[in-house]
Amino acid sequence: MIAVLVLAHFVAGSVVLVAGRTLRRWIFAVAIAPVLGALITVATLVPGVLDGDVGFHRYRWIDGLSLAVTIRLDGFATVMALVVAGIGAAVLVYAWSYFSHDESPARVVRFAGFFTLFAGAMLGLVVAGDVWTLFVCWELTSVLSFVLIGLDDHLPSARIAAQRALLVTGAGGLVMLGGIVCLVHASGTADLEHLFAIAPTSATAQVGLVMILIGAFAKSAQVPFHFWLPGAMAAPTPVSAFLHSATMVKAGVVVVARFAPAFASIGWWRPLLVIVGGSTMLVGGVAALRRDDAKQSLAFGTVSQLGFLVVLFGIGEPAATAAGVAMLVAHALFKSGLFLAIGAVEHATGSRDLRRLSGVGRSLPHLAVAAGLCTLSMIGLPPLIGFVGKESALAALAEGERWSIVALVVVVVGSILTTAYSVRLFWAMFATKRSKVDQSENHFARIHHPPNVALTAPITVLALLSLAGGVAASPLGTRLSVAAESLDGAASAHLALWPGIHLPLLLSVLIVVAGAGLALVVLRTQWRPAPPTTRDSTLGERAYGRAYNGLLDGAKRITRVTQSGSLPVYVAVIFAVIVAAIGFALVRGAGGDWGDPVAADSVLQAAVALLAGVMAIAVVAARRRFVSVLLLGGVGQGLTVLFLLYGAPDLALTQFMIETLMIVAFVLVLRHLPTTYSSPPMWAPKALRIALSVAVGVTFAWFALSAGSGDRPTDVTDAVEHLSLPVAGGKNVVNVTIVDFRGVDTMGEITVFAVAALGVANLVTASRRGIGAPVSAATRFSRIGAQSMIFEQVTKMIFHITLLVSAYVALRGHNAPGGGFAGGLIAGAAFVFRLLAGDASNRQVATRLSPIVLIGTGMLLAIGTGFASLVAGNEFLETNVFDIHLPGVGRIHFPSAAIFDIGVYLLVIGVVIIVLSHLAARTHSAGADGAVT
């Protein structure tokens, strides 16, 4: 069920992104539906989780590589899922009002769509039961946060902040991936439960743990990676409230919480976590006191308290782990509420500069009360949940050993800073102030748009939950104990609103008194009601800027040396490297045993091979470009005939269509190039060029003979032949292998194929911008016609027949020569020839037909087939065979791989159309004045 809910987020987010303009007022209804569904579903599962039930589902993918999608809903995952879904729903309600007067519908669509996708990725991360599922969702959150932070992409600050966040968290994710590989290799398992039970401590495992922690530190903004989080405040307030207080930045904390109980006994673990988390708490607290932007101040406060959470979970002791769970929930509630409150103040006044806000509390008392409750919880005053969480944390650290005592000192100092910046933030945001400069209030921001109920209700709910959590501390502690025990069996949360007079309470009093005094000192000495100034960059930002600029400068210098702009030089370097690598392997292996090579099996084979060789030599001698293209096409079609003669009709069909479309592509480009070759630049002496060419030919021929004459195992071949029909439901071994036995390889290939096609289209479009404004697909297609009556009429006559043939070839591929790729090439050729014909009806065809939609639909069908297999309990892309009885037709033998083939079919059609139509359009545009592009 949880896996379905995660997928529902991705479906809803995709629907919003694709049909957002059509949905209009229903955008947020569609976006919030899966979030509320997840909240309600997880809430209904809470009683079972409290009774000790653990929801566990594993969808096998590749058993040999320990790849599976594992969902595990234990106590801690349940708490985090409730946080993600609950705060996500509150933020979406808030966002509905926040964006109600937005002048850009596209901005609202992007927010709602990507927000829903992010919520699904975060939900998948917290319920992941294996390291691979965890990592995939981890990277999805980084990519989607990049889009959400840069939502206002017209602002340079938003683009820079989004890029910085992606580079820092993405680089941390890559390091984390290396650590996961090391840990899986050391433990022999990817399942988190088994991994923690084994808890390997070998050198490889410890290196892997350090790398995983680096990824966690980068994601949760720990020193020295803390600088990216305050910059991410360029995002709209709903994004900040969800990503940067309650969810994304908690991802690193979740990883530390999961790993610490199993690995905290390693000697370096506790010192590292205490030093990093403690430093982050202090650095963030000091920085929060120095910021006059309310979101910036709260962002550095988030950095500080993320350090607090890392210290608590990183200690790895049962009591500290239980306290960490309580503080994690408390932090999510009060910090998201404060972010939303800042957004409401900015919405009302048009400013979040603490120096320009005055009288907001008097004008908006309900908002001030809700924000005040959240602030008191952040300080840690009763009867709020922040108080009981902090008390349990201080008690746990006070009872610990050496590093716990060090952590206690750091936490007390950090909490004093927390109190100070919390008091300063609330006072500066809601108090009534007078200017010390002119004794007037004219320079202060005024209330222009009082927030409505939808904007303040989520803040009130979060504040009341913080209050309820403190009042009901004891029963809350009982329920949170289940979450703590799922991390550490000995952990048990004991929360109390009045714990009695003991050391933690005395420390709390000290923290509040000292923090309030520090806040008073800061307000007296730092308050300057002057116009806002540019915020000084932090040390981390400066270090990042220097590293980033240095990387770009180094790349430019290397590019100037290696990228000379000469295509012959590039080709020569590539071939030289290939010749050196393959030649070394062939010489070292003595070239293999060629046995008794046979020149040809028949006279016809020899004749075709000889003709292809002659045409290949003629390509070198040709002086006209068009002649060279025809000769190259002849060589390719010669290979088609050879494939047929060797009994490989699938290869022959595919080769024939590829060569045909390649000739079309060449002709489209050559139409406006000089008819003859110009003298090429002498990049190397003629003797060297000839030597390299001969070396390439000899090496590849040698390699082909060695590969073809080597010992070939027959067990795999025999197994595939015998399993094709009974297991995959197909007689065509080639197609069965492609879409079933090696379906994952095909999935990767078609993904690269689609991305490459889109890249070509974008490059061609970009190069065409200097010629004129982009035109629509229908206009583009209508311009590229050959203007030949015979070609037009013949194309119209055979168009529909060709499409029927292509569909037949695609659907028969599982049992006979054909398949989605070959069928897609045939259909793509039909569309391209129809578009090249240039008649008026083609505009209607082009208007209705979107290559992007074809490519996207094809990918969705192919990927959906794989996930459907997982849901059915099989491996990824494993074929299921269905016997369907249709009236009047009879029994139809339908393998699920046919859906995969249909996806390939649609994708190939889209790729062919998008590439060739763009090339043709570019040629036409260039040909307007005879210029060569």
Side-chain angles (χ1 to χ4, degrees), residues 6 10 80-81 84 116-128 137-138 140-141 144 219 242-243 246-252 254:
V6 173
F10 288 97
M80 287 304 303
V84 171
T116 309
L117 293 175
F118 179 89
M122 193 65 204
L123 181 63
L125 189 151
V126 299
V127 300
C137 294
W138 180 281
L140 282 175
T141 58
L144 293 170
K219 182 78 83 173
F242 190 61
L243 273 67
T247 55
M248 175 185 168
V249 291
K250 295 288 198 312
V254 168

Side-chain angles (χ1 to χ4, degrees), residues 717-890:
T717 304
D718 295 340
V720 170
E721 290 178 351
H722 286 92
L723 292 176
S724 294
L725 183 58
V727 174
K731 300 176 182 178
N732 184 359
V733 176
V734 174
N735 187 265
V736 167
T737 302
I738 290 174
V739 301
D740 187 289
F741 297 147
R742 301 195 63 178
V744 177
D745 290 345
T746 306
M747 177 73 72
E749 291 165 2
I750 62 174
T751 303
V752 173
F753 191 45
V755 172
L758 295 175
V760 169
N762 287 331
L763 287 174
V764 174
T765 301
S767 67
R768 198 169 60 241
R769 287 173 183 167
I771 300 171
V775 295
S776 66
T779 304
R780 179 168 66 244
F781 292 152
S782 66
R783 289 181 177 181
I784 63 177
Q787 304 300 324
S788 168
M789 182 65 69
I790 297 176
F791 180 51
E792 178 182 333
Q793 296 303 317
V794 171
T795 301
K796 291 175 67 174
M797 285 189 296
I798 68 172
F799 176 71
H800 297 93
I801 297 175
T802 307
L803 288 184
L804 287 175
V805 171
S806 71
Y808 173 71
V809 170
L811 293 175
R812 77 194 292 264
H814 217 55
N815 294 291
F821 195 80
L825 290 174
I826 296 173
F831 278 111
V832 169
F833 288 141
R834 177 78 180 270
L835 298 171
L836 290 175
D839 66 306
S841 62
N842 294 337
R843 302 177 191 176
Q844 299 177 355
V845 175
T847 303
R848 294 194 303 266
L849 189 66
S850 171
I852 301 296
V853 172
L854 287 174
I855 293 173
T857 304
M859 287 299 301
L860 285 176
L861 285 176
I863 297 173
T865 305
F867 281 109
S869 298
L870 291 178
V871 173
N874 300 321
E875 291 194 17
F876 188 74
L877 287 177
E878 182 177 346
T879 298
N880 293 302
V881 181
F882 304 97
D883 288 324
I884 305 173
H885 295 271
L886 295 179
V889 178

Side-chain angles (χ1 to χ4, degrees), residues 294 337-338 340-346 348-349 353-354 356-375 422-433 447 451 459 527:
L338 283 172
L340 295 181
I342 291 174
V345 171
E346 184 181 13
T349 64
D353 191 321
L354 297 177
R356 299 194 64 241
L357 297 175
S358 178
V360 176
R362 184 174 55 190
S363 302
L364 305 174
H366 294 90
L367 179 62
V369 170
L373 289 175
C374 292
T375 303
S422 300
V423 171
R424 173 181 179 266
L425 177 64
F426 181 81
W427 182 87
M429 216 170 31
F430 292 102
T432 300
K433 305 187 286 284
I447 303 295
I459 306 170
W527 173 250

